[in-house]
Amino acid sequence: MELDEELQNKWGFQRNRELSTTSVSIRSVLTKLVDNINKDDQRPLITLARTDPSVFPCFRTSSFAADSIADAVKSFQFNGYAPSAGVPSAKRAIAEHLSRDLSYQLSADHVYLTAGCTQAIEITISALAHPGANILLPRPGYPQYEAQSAFDQLEVRHFDLLPEKAWEVDLASVEALADENTVAMVIINPGNPCGNVFTRQHLKKIAESARKLGIFVVSDEVYGRQAFGDNPFVPMGEFGTIVPVITLGSLSKQWVVPGWRLGWIVTCDPKGVLQASGFVECIETFLDITTDPPTFLQGALPQIIEKTKDEFFSNILNILSEAANICYERVKEIPCLTCPHKPEGSMTVMVKLNLSLLEGINDDMDFCLKLAKEESITVLPGFVVGLKNWLRVTFAIDPSYLDDGLRRIKAFYLRHAKKC
């Protein structure tokens, strides 16, 4: 049924054009790839495009975490509304958990609980946004930051991560991009999508550059402590006396429960700049008008943190390390792909796509669509994370599936390789 012209004019909708034209989501691209799968292919679909290892038994979360959730529900103490900033016991547990890696002590007052790290990003970007402001984002990076910035009409400026330097921040480009309207720069450590882990020395240089520019640092540490290479994980908050740091994190990756949607914003700022500047007030105001993570999850959080044994985390790291090795070695066997730096943390890695070695492949999206159709495997095209004609590969799956998936990519290459 068609609307007449009068009704169309009356009920016209003016969409947010900035959001519609500048943002790309991993989910929307993943849907296109899955839709392109050959339904007659009897092989199992292997997903290297989305980072959710929870479906594999080897990545199953701690039994203590599951028991803590059940205990919180059965206690009937967490059926009501929670305080806007979070249940006090849960806030204290996060403060104590993060303080183990810091040279100073966080308190519950520094912690704000959110519905996953996605909401932490939404709240932080919204609090930073004001007319004429801009924010510096890494390239490659996580597209949620760009999408939320577009929604809040916060100008985005991209600084580069340098593959030849283990994906370090190009600090010269940061200083060239910043001006008096720059509010913050975002770093992701351990790195998504690059699989890198910043050294303590580099993090200090980032802090010193941000201090010189007079901007905050937003440190996405959703993969915090998931480092298995030569560089140990160091939280950016360790340099909170140099520059105010807004740390974002969640339960999802370390405990392998992305569907539980429990995250946090933490102000790592011993000098109190974030409080004095009004940023904390903005966070608190936003929390008063938005949704909260489920109260029973918050109620279970102290027990989840306390009871999960170190063996659980070390086992996850061992599997990730093995998978990273498989990924790096198998990629070397595929001539059209180059991995500039072996992953040392997180669950993803960037590999460069050499189109000159392929017949009939136009770009990274075309590569991924045809790969999905011919081999029943999904890989994320690099343009989604800011690098066209690269690929983001998730290695956080059962190692046997990962090995099979990379062999399928090699078969795809051989089928499309240019003939000499």
Side-chain angles (χ1 to χ4, degrees):
M1 179 179 177
E2 293 185 3
L3 293 175
D4 61 36
E5 186 175 347
E6 182 180 353
L7 281 177
Q8 284 181 326
N9 291 334
K10 181 176 181 180
W11 300 110
F13 168 68
Q14 296 296 318
R15 69 177 184 268
N16 184 327
R17 295 188 181 276
E18 287 81 5
L19 180 61
S20 300
T21 59
T22 64
S23 64
V24 177
S25 74
I26 292 174
R27 289 182 179 181
S28 64
V29 173
L30 183 59
T31 297
K32 292 178 182 178
L33 297 178
V34 172
D35 287 346
N36 219 45
I37 296 289
N38 180 358
K39 303 303 186 289
D40 295 327
D41 192 338
Q42 299 301 307
R43 293 175 296 178
L45 169 64
I46 296 178
T47 300
L48 305 183
R50 189 173 189 179
T51 312
D52 184 0
S54 65
V55 298
F56 298 98
C58 64
F59 283 103
R60 186 161 293 150
T61 193
S62 159
S63 60
F64 294 103
D67 291 343
S68 298
I69 294 290
D71 291 344
V73 173
K74 291 177 181 178
S75 74
F76 299 102
Q77 296 178 23
F78 303 104
N79 292 343
Y81 294 118
S84 298
V87 171
S89 60
K91 286 157 57 74
R92 284 195 299 271
I94 290 296
E96 292 170 5
H97 176 66
L98 298 182
S99 294
R100 295 173 194 167
D101 296 324
L102 296 171
S103 56
Y104 58 93
Q105 188 71 31
L106 296 167
S107 75
D109 292 338
H110 298 121
V111 178
Y112 304 90
L113 297 182
T114 61
C117 196
T118 296
Q119 191 188 43
I121 293 170
E122 293 170 356
I123 293 171
T124 300
I125 295 298
S126 296
L128 291 169
H130 62 261
N134 66 75
I135 189 168
L136 309 184
L137 302 183
R139 181 173 51 204
Y142 184 55
Q144 188 68 31
Y145 287 95
E146 191 154 1
Q148 188 61 40
S149 296
F151 187 80
D152 289 319
Q153 299 186 22
L154 177 62
E155 179 193 349
V156 167
R157 299 179 181 181
H158 291 103
F159 60 86
D160 292 321
L161 302 181
L162 304 172
E164 68 277 10
K165 292 187 176 181
W167 298 105
E168 286 188 348
V169 173
D170 183 352
L171 293 172
S173 72
V174 169
E175 296 195 17
L177 289 168
D179 60 21
E180 66 277 6
N181 295 316
T182 304
V183 291
M185 66 178 291
V186 173
I187 65 167
I188 305 173
N189 183 49
N192 176 15
C194 302
N196 60 300
V197 179
F198 291 138
T199 64
R200 174 180 288 271
Q201 294 81 1
H202 188 59
L203 289 169
K204 186 177 181 182
K205 289 180 181 178
I206 292 172
E208 291 168 344
S209 294
R211 178 186 177 91
K212 182 168 71 173
L213 297 169
I215 60 177
F216 302 153
V217 175
V218 177
S219 185
D220 184 326
E221 297 175 7
V222 75
Y223 289 98
R225 295 188 179 180
Q226 287 188 323
F228 42 81
D230 293 334
N231 297 328
F233 168 68
V234 177
M236 188 68 202
E238 182 64 11
F239 305 98
T241 55
I242 299 175
V243 64
V245 176
I246 304 152
T247 298
L248 311 183
S250 80
L251 210 62
S252 64
K253 304 303 183 185
Q254 197 173 356
W255 271 268
V256 201
V257 286
W260 286 12
R261 314 309 296 161
L262 182 59
W264 49 80
I265 301 168
V266 179
T267 55
C268 299
D269 177 33
K271 295 184 177 179
V273 176
L274 294 169
Q275 179 76 48
S277 68
F279 175 81
V280 168
E281 183 181 355
C282 287
I283 292 289
E284 292 172 346
T285 300
F286 201 111
L287 287 166
D288 283 338
I289 61 172
T290 190
T291 189
D292 310 319
T295 312
F296 69 86
L297 278 175
Q298 298 186 50
L301 190 57
Q303 291 298 308
I304 292 173
I305 292 175
E306 179 185 340
K307 291 185 176 181
T308 303
K309 298 184 181 300
D310 289 341
E311 288 82 357
F312 167 76
F313 301 116
S314 61
N315 180 58
I316 295 295
L317 288 181
N318 288 337
I319 298 171
L320 288 174
S321 180
E322 178 190 354
N325 287 332
I326 292 171
C327 187
Y328 186 67
E329 295 302 325
R330 288 284 178 263
V331 164
K332 288 195 292 187
E333 298 173 2
I334 307 171
C336 68
L337 300 181
T338 303
C339 182
H341 187 71
K342 184 178 178 179
E344 296 183 329
S346 78
M347 297 179 176
T348 61
V349 66
M350 291 296 290
V351 298
K352 191 171 185 178
L353 179 61
N354 187 347
L355 294 172
S356 68
L357 299 180
L358 298 167
E359 291 278 8
I361 305 292
N362 299 321
D363 56 23
D364 52 345
M365 185 64 179
D366 191 35
F367 180 96
C368 293
L369 285 169
K370 290 175 179 174
L371 176 66
K373 186 171 186 178
E374 296 179 24
E375 295 291 344
S376 293
I377 178 172
T378 60
V379 174
L380 194 72
F383 82 92
V384 180
V385 295
L387 281 188
K388 188 172 178 59
N389 295 333
W390 286 67
L391 306 172
R392 191 195 78 169
V393 179
T394 294
F395 55 83
I397 71 170
D398 185 287
S400 63
Y401 279 86
L402 177 63
D403 189 67
D404 183 17
L406 291 165
R407 291 182 187 279
R408 292 190 203 180
I409 296 176
K410 183 177 180 180
F412 178 82
Y413 158 74
L414 293 172
R415 192 178 308 118
H416 290 273
K418 278 188 176 178
K419 306 299 185 290
C420 294

